[in-house]
Amino acid sequence: NAGVMQNPRHLVRRRGQEARLRCSPVKGHSHVYWYRQLPEEGLKFMVYLQKENIIDESGMPKERFSAEFPKEGPSILRIQQVVRGDSAAYFCASSPPGGYSPLHFGNGTRLTVT
Amino acid sequence: AQSVTQLDSQVPVFEEAPVELRCNYSSSVSVYLFWYVQYPNQGLQLLLKYLSGSTLVKGINGFEAEFNKSQTSFHLRKPSVHISDTAEYFCAAGFQGAQKLVFGQGTRLTINP
């Protein structure tokens, strides 16, 4: 079984451009989570989605950031008008339905804003 | 507030020495706990988990952790480390009523020959 697939692995954007990060969960997993990891820091929760629904976006900045998990296709984390402070590793994780399941992580997308 | 704290940002040890990485949590509801390992430029890999039952949990690569409710701790231990254990280790907690995991700041384990 393929694990969580994230692409691209590395993404370079100039300030003001848009960044789109994609995540395909483990087959059969209907829950997707996005986390951000800044240098020398732990993982900060951003958003939790189920198919076509945002369940918890309490960790996502109110402006410029959005996430979706459509009925078909990967989950997308979109950052509009990127700034240098958005440079980080963004990790996607997935889990099956039901409580208390471990999260399965992808290898991350490393965003660099120049 | 619900939180996870890893008390040591870096832990250097010699090869074949024992190691303990500390993790404490704060919660007013039931909690379930995990340890993950992150190798350079990779995602997080599950080491072990505590959901309920026996408080001593064994994981992969010879690691184990003990849930201590009175101390609100979930420390990770290995009796003898190898060079290949060099990585970042994250403690994480899930809290009853919330699906997401909350992570600690991470502990960088470096093994000296």
Side-chain angles (χ1 to χ4, degrees), chain B residues 2-88:
Chain B
Q2 296 161 345
S3 64
V4 177
T5 302
Q6 291 181 244
L7 297 165
D8 306 298
S9 59
Q10 294 190 57
V11 173
V13 294
F14 287 106
E15 195 173 14
E16 297 184 8
V19 69
E20 178 180 85
L21 305 182
R22 297 181 291 170
C23 173
N24 287 85
Y25 67 90
S26 173
S27 178
S28 56
V29 299
S30 296
V31 65
Y32 48 106
L33 297 154
F34 306 87
W35 275 97
Y36 284 85
V37 59
Q38 184 182 32
Y39 299 104
N41 298 315
Q42 293 188 26
L44 278 71
Q45 179 182 352
L46 181 68
L47 274 179
L48 49 79
K49 62 186 178 186
Y50 171 78
L51 302 182
S52 64
S54 173
T55 56
L56 183 62
V57 180
K58 293 192 184 296
I60 62 171
N61 301 344
F63 284 94
E64 64 180 32
E66 186 158 17
F67 172 61
N68 188 320
K69 190 173 181 179
S70 62
Q71 306 264 342
T72 61
S73 68
F74 191 55
H75 300 334
L76 181 70
R77 301 187 186 99
K78 186 169 182 176
S80 175
V81 296
H82 301 135
I83 292 283
S84 59
D85 293 323
T86 298
E88 187 104 20

Side-chain angles (χ1 to χ4, degrees), chain A residues 9 31 33 35 37 40-43 45 48 56 58 91 95-96 98-107 110, chain B residues 32 34 36 38 40-44 46 49 51 88 90 95-97 99-106 108:
Chain A
R9 287 297 305 274
H31 298 196
Y33 310 76
Y35 284 81
Q37 185 178 33
E40 307 303 319
E41 292 188 22
L43 277 78
F45 168 78
Y48 159 45
D56 180 352
S58 58
F91 288 95
S95 70
Y100 311 149
S101 298
L103 303 188
H104 298 249
F105 280 84
N107 284 332
R110 278 151 185 84
Chain B
Y32 48 106
F34 306 87
Y36 284 85
Q38 184 182 32
N41 298 315
Q42 293 188 26
L44 278 71
L46 181 68
K49 62 186 178 186
L51 302 182
E88 187 104 20
F90 291 95
F95 301 97
Q96 187 180 26
Q99 191 76 14
K100 68 188 181 192
L101 294 188
V102 175
F103 283 81
Q105 301 89 326
R108 184 161 297 168

Side-chain angles (χ1 to χ4, degrees), chain A residues 60-72:
Chain A
M60 198 144 74
K62 294 282 187 285
E63 298 179 355
R64 302 188 297 108
F65 285 73
S66 62
E68 62 177 13
F69 188 19
K71 188 176 179 182
E72 302 290 338

Side-chain angles (χ1 to χ4, degrees), chain A residues 49-53 68-76:
Chain A
L49 310 103
Q50 295 179 16
K51 284 284 187 182
E52 300 184 279
N53 284 306
E68 62 177 13
F69 188 19
K71 188 176 179 182
E72 302 290 338
S75 175
I76 305 287

